[in-house]
Amino acid sequence: FNSPTAALPEEDDVLSVGAQLVALAIETRQLNADLVRRSEFDRLTDVHNRFSLERHLDALIEEARQRAGVFGLIYIDLDEFKQVNDLYGHHIGDQYLQEVALRMKRQLRSADMLARLGGDEFAALMPMARNREEVSEVAMRLERSFDEPFSICGNLLSGSASIGIALYPVDGASKDSLLNAADAAMYKDKHSRQEIQVEQQD
């Protein structure tokens, strides 16, 4: 525009339309980013969701196949979570899940990924794991994150989790076989815990 002269009406219209288009583009980009985050992250705990975990798992398997790589998967199932909801209500239960997710995230390395699969089930992907011992070490750190009770709205909640690990490709070379292996290892751990509790009660 020629600054010394007054703007023509059509020039004002062009500026107005341009400003509206810029605002619309910014709003669309923010909306798209929000939709992407909603599709990949759990709204309650703000960790990845099942869809995101499976997508990353597919990519990891493809990459590991090409370079003969290894990576780890950890399954985590909270023990007796239903009792938390029954005794204290779903509001406390939701906050408990949030605190659990926060503690477990702190035990993971920067390259690892925590996801909530639904309900009281979580999983962690370890792309940089080199062997089963390394995966087991992280699993032990996740288990120790329940050592201290959770203080929620004046309530002290003691928690624990059953944990199972799987190593690609030893325990499974496909997404489903790897998930099933970690899930089976987790249930084996849960069954062992229940047997120990029964023996202690006797």
Side-chain angles (χ1 to χ4, degrees):
F1 300 119
N2 189 359
S3 56
T5 60
L8 298 174
E10 54 267 29
E11 293 175 339
D12 284 336
D13 291 341
V14 169
L15 285 173
S16 177
V17 170
Q20 291 175 13
L21 289 174
V22 169
L24 180 61
I26 293 172
E27 183 179 349
T28 301
R29 185 173 181 180
Q30 290 174 338
L31 179 61
N32 183 64
D34 184 57
L35 289 174
V36 169
R37 182 165 186 83
R38 285 172 179 266
S39 71
E40 295 194 351
F41 284 81
D42 178 57
R43 295 182 66 180
L44 176 64
T45 58
D46 200 36
V47 298
H48 291 266
N49 58 23
R50 178 183 287 273
F51 167 79
S52 182
L53 174 89
E54 293 188 354
R55 188 171 64 82
H56 280 80
L57 190 52
D58 282 331
L60 269 178
I61 290 173
E62 184 62 30
E63 181 183 349
R65 279 177 182 163
Q66 294 177 6
R67 60 178 178 82
V70 175
F71 66 86
L73 174 66
I74 304 174
Y75 235 76
I76 308 114
D77 184 80
L78 306 188
D79 296 329
E80 300 178 348
F81 173 68
K82 185 177 181 299
Q83 292 187 10
V84 175
N85 281 332
D86 290 345
L87 291 173
Y88 301 99
H90 288 277
H91 176 66
I92 299 296
D94 286 349
Q95 290 190 53
Y96 175 68
L97 288 174
Q98 291 171 341
E99 289 296 321
V100 164
L102 186 60
R103 282 196 191 181
M104 290 197 295
K105 278 179 68 175
R106 290 172 179 164
Q107 300 303 320
L108 298 177
R109 304 166 306 179
S110 58
D112 300 335
M113 188 185 91
L114 180 67
R116 182 184 177 211
L117 304 182
D120 58 356
E121 291 186 343
F122 293 81
L125 266 181
M126 298 179 58
M128 307 299 291
R130 293 167 293 185
N131 49 53
R132 188 177 301 275
E133 289 71 24
E134 193 172 331
V135 181
S136 297
E137 181 183 344
V138 173
M140 289 178 62
R141 291 211 305 263
L142 290 172
E143 188 175 352
R144 287 198 297 269
S145 66
F146 292 86
D147 286 350
E148 296 296 325
F150 296 81
S151 179
I152 301 174
C153 297
N155 302 294
L156 279 180
L157 307 181
S158 296
S160 63
S162 299
I163 296 176
I165 68 173
L167 194 69
Y168 175 91
V170 178
D171 299 318
S174 68
K175 176 177 67 178
D176 290 339
S177 62
L178 201 62
L179 286 168
N180 288 337
D183 190 37
M186 180 272 294
Y187 272 105
K188 183 178 180 180
D189 182 50
K190 184 178 288 290
H191 183 67
S192 298
R193 289 171 178 272
Q194 290 171 347
E195 286 184 337
I196 291 173
Q197 289 177 355
V198 170
E199 290 176 358
Q200 290 175 343
Q201 290 173 357
D202 291 342

